Amino acid sequence: MVTHRRLFEVVAAMAAVCLASAGIALAVLYETALDEQRRRLAEALEGQVRLIDAIARSQASDSGLGPESVKQATLRQVLDAHRRSRGFGRTGELVLAKREGDEIVFTLNQRGDDLPPIPADGARGEPMRRAVAGETGSCTCLDHRSDEVLAVFAPVTGLGMGAVAKISLAEIRAPFVRAAGTGGGVAALAIAISAWLLARFANPLIGSLEASEARNRAILEGAAEGILTANDRGLVESLNPAAARIFGYAPAEVVGRPMSLLLPPTGAEPGAAALGAAAVPGMGREVVGRRKDGAPRPVEIAVSDVRLHKGRLVTVIVRDLAERRRSEREKEELRQAAERNARLAEIGALSAKIVHDLGNPLGGLSMQAQLVQRLAARGADAEAIGKAVGDMTATLRHVDALIRQFRSFARGQRLELDSIDVAGFVAELVRFWAPEAARRGIALRGRADDGIAALRADPAKLRRVLDNLVKNAIEAIDEPAGEVRVEAHVAGPGRVRLSVADTGPGIPPDVQVFRLFETTKPDGSGIGLPVSREIVLAHGGSIDYHPLEPRGTAFHVELPIEGPAA
Amino acid sequence: MTILLIEDDDAMRGGLEGNLPFDGFGVIAYAAVEDLPELEALAAVDVVLADYQLPGESGLDFADRFHARRPAVPMILMTAHCSHDLEAKVARRPYLRLLRKPFDYDELLSLVTALAGPPPSG
């Protein structure tokens, strides 16, 4: 897991820092130790060389020997003296040698056996080569045994030889190697312990952080609302799938780009913090966003602005109003369709009842009339004809009674008067029938004069009248692209006129539309307009119609503003 | 040829009862199924003409009952309001025809003739 790798990296960095500082300390100490050794070697060598020179000089003056013999005697004494000593330190020694032809021949070394001569121009024995060449100095280099040594060298002028005091570098390094080993071990242990402690305390913390992050991610990804975050420069830092869906982007296309790409000012723009007011969290503001394809998208946003220790975190929650409005509109359309169906069913039920009640006697009447005709044609006696005509009269009385009953049903219902805003009434009527008109490709328009006073009428019954007129108008139109207009005018003092005009074929002159069962529609009942007329009359109003030029019909309902006279 | 007529509306029943004999049919007319004698007494009936909506037993129920006794007799069910449900019920009964009100007398006459054959002239 990423966080665990990070943890390991932190521990590794700590270890590296520890090791580096320990290494630097050791290196400084080692340099110091090396200088110290070099100084001691130089002192020792200088002392020895001076001593040898002194011996040589005293031999020369005391014995009166020739120079070669003096050398021999001095050398013998020095060698005797030194052979008995074992040098200094574990590996330190003094070496004397001289050049003989192409070789350097050792005359004294304090460690081990006699040394074979070495070539004068080889890589080995650099300090001695430089000593016999008359140089004085120091170096860390290979000695005649090819060991790496710290050496100080100087010529012994009296004897024509070179002297080297040297000590193995390994001996100087040994304590530091030991210290590094011990220190490294202790450091490794300390690092291991601290890593363990860190892991022990950090792991639960990391675990809970990870769980919290997973939880938050699940909430973000599953949310129906779009959720975006932006930094204080107004750049989008994250967005959830719902936000991507609302704006039509892939998440990667938005991250790092300005929030203003999607939304009008939310307070997340650069410099918005300075404006103060703009950065105030807004709850449930409706704004228009912009989709990837450029289409505007109505959304509701809630902005929260959190100040972090470094910068700000602006969170914008976006609710898609287009989707919600669509579903609300669909619901409303369903409700209206149901209401329309209910109204039509109500009219249908009334029609069915009247058709049934009147259909029988009227059908019977026609047959009774036929019977009278037949009886007369057969020359039946007056009594038989009289009886048949009497039956007809009885039937007519029955029909008349039914019609009276029906009229009183329509008229006798009490009006539930209320105040009606005529313009609103017309608008609602148009809105209600608009889907049906649209379905048939008919333009339905509504208009009301300004300043029509509130009308006192029974809203439900008046609505039934207008529903009937608009329904008839829509059904009358027999051409594509017809038009139905609903208008409200002031018709005179205290009177309002509601008109419904269509561009249909008009009403044949021989049809009396307000008479029961008169209809021009193939499946019409011939009841709607008679009922409408009864309702209008009950309001103290009037209803009529006239043809329009070049074609069409207009129905007018005139009503007293103050309602029916008491 | 005899027609059994069951119709509760006086005008309709009177009109049919008066006219059918002119076209050569005998008519036995009743206003309700209850008024009918035992089915055995109706052996002479060649066609049944019944209203669907009757007080008491409906025209449809009577038609079923009558058909069980006299499977060969064609029947006409008259109705003023016709539902899909009723249409389906009638369609399942091959011996039954539906006649929607309001109808013309001649319409009825041609239907009866089609079902039962022309009456003996006279």
Side-chain angles (χ1 to χ4, degrees):
Chain A
M1 219 173 282
V2 174
T3 42
H4 283 111
R5 212 179 62 210
R6 292 236 172 95
L7 196 61
F8 174 76
E9 283 167 5
V10 167
V11 170
M14 277 164 49
V17 168
C18 287
L19 289 175
S21 51
I24 289 167
L26 282 174
V28 169
L29 285 174
Y30 175 66
E31 279 301 316
T32 313
L34 214 55
D35 284 348
E36 177 66 16
Q37 277 296 346
R38 189 179 289 122
R39 206 173 42 76
R40 277 173 53 202
L41 282 176
E43 277 170 8
L45 185 68
E46 199 188 341
Q48 290 297 324
V49 169
R50 239 186 242 140
L51 184 65
I52 291 168
D53 270 343
I55 291 168
R57 268 193 305 274
S58 99
Q59 288 279 349
S61 60
D62 292 356
S63 61
L65 296 171
E68 225 22 65
S69 305
V70 170
K71 270 187 206 172
Q72 296 294 335
T74 307
L75 203 53
R76 205 162 37 241
Q77 285 191 359
V78 171
L79 292 182
D80 283 347
H82 277 102
R83 283 214 176 96
R84 280 193 291 273
S85 88
R86 292 298 301 161
F88 42 89
R90 239 175 353 93
T91 60
E93 63 178 334
L94 182 72
V95 181
L96 289 176
K98 65 179 176 200
R99 184 162 178 163
E100 290 182 0
D102 287 342
E103 290 185 329
I104 290 173
V105 178
F106 291 93
T107 52
L108 171 69
N109 69 80
Q110 292 174 313
R111 304 267 177 196
D113 305 326
D114 288 347
L115 290 169
I118 57 167
D121 54 355
R124 283 192 294 151
E126 185 195 334
M128 185 53 78
R129 277 189 283 110
R130 291 170 71 179
V132 296
E135 281 184 58
T136 301
S138 73
C139 68
T140 54
C141 41
L142 298 179
D143 71 354
H144 50 271
R145 292 194 191 91
S146 294
D147 286 339
E148 206 180 9
V149 292
L150 173 64
V152 178
F153 48 88
V156 185
T157 45
L159 295 175
M161 300 176 90
V164 172
K166 63 186 174 68
I167 185 164
S168 165
L169 274 179
E171 186 181 347
I172 305 171
R173 282 177 187 153
F176 294 96
V177 170
R178 250 196 329 277
T182 314
V186 170
L189 190 66
I191 288 166
I193 289 170
S194 57
W196 177 75
L197 286 174
L198 192 65
R200 186 186 162 150
F201 292 112
N203 264 347
L205 211 60
I206 290 169
S208 71
L209 276 176
E210 278 172 354
S212 149
E213 199 187 322
R215 210 162 33 234
N216 286 345
R217 198 182 306 123
I219 291 169
L220 285 178
E221 307 232 316
E225 275 86 20
I227 301 171
L228 299 114
T229 61
N231 59 17
D232 51 359
R233 288 193 296 142
L235 302 178
V236 175
E237 288 192 329
S238 73
L239 72 164
N240 69 347
R245 199 171 55 244
I246 290 170
F247 294 106
Y249 284 93
E253 293 176 310
V254 182
V255 171
R257 301 184 69 184
M259 187 79 101
S260 55
L261 189 69
L262 311 173
L263 288 168
T266 60
E269 292 71 27
L275 296 175
V280 167
M283 284 303 298
R285 260 191 301 151
E286 287 191 16
V287 299
V288 177
R290 182 171 292 276
R291 282 172 59 84
K292 187 185 182 183
D293 56 16
R297 189 78 160 183
V299 292
E300 184 180 357
I301 59 169
V303 181
S304 79
D305 185 356
V306 180
R307 260 160 226 287
L308 304 176
H309 68 281
K310 196 175 158 193
R312 294 156 65 207
L313 174 69
V314 178
T315 306
V316 183
I317 296 175
V318 184
R319 189 173 297 148
D320 191 353
L321 291 181
E323 259 172 45
R324 196 169 68 177
R325 282 183 189 159
R326 190 159 46 239
S327 69
E328 275 173 9
R329 198 165 59 235
E330 276 165 9
K331 244 183 272 174
E332 175 62 16
E333 275 169 11
L334 275 179
R335 194 190 61 73
Q336 284 183 5
E339 200 179 319
R340 257 194 312 277
N341 285 341
R343 274 167 197 270
L344 296 181
E346 187 188 359
I347 295 172
L350 186 63
S351 313
K353 177 174 160 42
I354 295 168
V355 165
H356 183 254
D357 287 357
L358 290 181
N360 270 332
L362 290 178
L365 197 59
S366 122
M367 279 183 269
Q368 285 169 334
Q370 204 167 348
L371 179 59
V372 172
Q373 218 172 5
R374 283 174 152 182
L375 286 170
R378 288 259 177 124
D381 55 20
E383 195 187 339
I385 293 175
K387 184 191 170 296
V389 173
D391 284 348
M392 281 179 72
T393 313
T395 304
L396 278 170
R397 256 190 229 112
H398 177 53
V399 168
D400 187 47
L402 280 174
I403 290 173
R404 274 172 201 282
Q405 207 181 331
F406 166 67
R407 272 196 183 141
S408 65
F409 165 78
R411 187 184 292 162
Q413 279 179 355
R414 280 178 32 163
L415 297 178
E416 311 235 343
L417 297 175
D418 202 346
S419 180
I420 299 174
D421 163 33
V422 176
F425 182 84
V426 169
E428 165 62 20
L429 187 72
V430 168
R431 196 187 58 75
F432 185 81
W433 286 97
E436 178 68 18
R439 202 173 60 76
R440 296 166 179 251
I442 294 167
L444 177 61
R445 300 200 172 85
R447 202 179 73 77
D449 279 354
D450 290 333
I452 300 178
L455 171 66
R456 200 159 165 73
D458 182 321
K461 292 209 172 64
L462 186 59
R463 180 61 191 271
R464 183 185 291 182
V465 170
L466 270 298
D467 275 341
N468 210 322
L469 292 180
V470 173
K471 177 176 178 283
N472 284 349
I474 288 174
E475 287 174 355
I477 287 173
D478 55 350
E479 294 177 331
E483 187 192 35
V484 172
R485 277 177 292 116
V486 181
E487 291 177 5
H489 301 286
V490 176
R495 287 181 83 83
V496 65
R497 177 192 289 163
L498 295 164
S499 304
V500 178
D502 63 61
T503 56
I507 295 168
D510 57 332
V511 174
Q512 292 182 297
V513 292
F514 295 114
R515 209 181 255 180
L516 262 178
F517 308 119
E518 289 269 2
T519 181
T520 57
K521 289 187 271 186
D523 54 352
S525 64
I527 289 163
L529 284 174
V531 171
S532 296
R533 183 165 171 271
E534 295 304 327
I535 292 171
V536 172
L537 291 178
H539 277 87
S542 64
I543 181 167
D544 64 0
Y545 68 95
H546 62 74
L548 295 174
E549 286 301 325
R551 71 200 309 265
T553 310
F555 274 83
H556 305 290
V557 173
E558 257 190 50
L559 296 166
I561 285 279
E562 299 295 336
Chain B
M1 187 163 291
T2 306
I3 294 174
L4 170 61
L5 171 66
I6 314 170
E7 165 62 78
D8 61 324
D9 184 81
D10 293 342
M12 183 64 80
R13 192 177 64 251
L16 288 169
E17 209 179 352
N19 275 291
L20 283 168
F22 277 91
D23 296 299
F25 295 99
V27 181
I28 322 168
Y30 297 95
V33 177
E34 289 94 270
D35 301 342
L36 259 65
E38 289 300 307
L39 292 188
E40 284 74 16
L42 299 170
V45 169
D46 300 300
V47 177
V48 172
L49 186 56
D51 190 32
Y52 169 61
Q53 219 171 28
L54 289 170
E57 188 175 5
S58 81
L60 186 65
D61 291 342
F62 173 75
D64 285 344
R65 208 152 51 81
F66 192 81
H67 178 71
R69 291 289 176 86
R70 301 282 309 278
V73 175
M75 289 180 272
I76 297 167
L77 195 63
M78 302 179 288
T79 182
H81 46 181
C82 181
S83 65
H84 287 297
D85 186 42
L86 182 60
E87 271 177 15
K89 280 178 180 165
V90 170
R92 277 200 298 274
R93 293 164 169 81
Y95 52 89
L96 198 58
R97 292 298 177 88
L98 199 63
L99 181 61
R100 286 185 189 80
K101 288 179 179 176
F103 56 81
D104 211 53
Y105 177 73
D106 293 337
E107 205 181 323
L108 170 83
L109 202 60
S110 55
L111 184 59
V112 170
T113 310
L115 288 174
S121 59

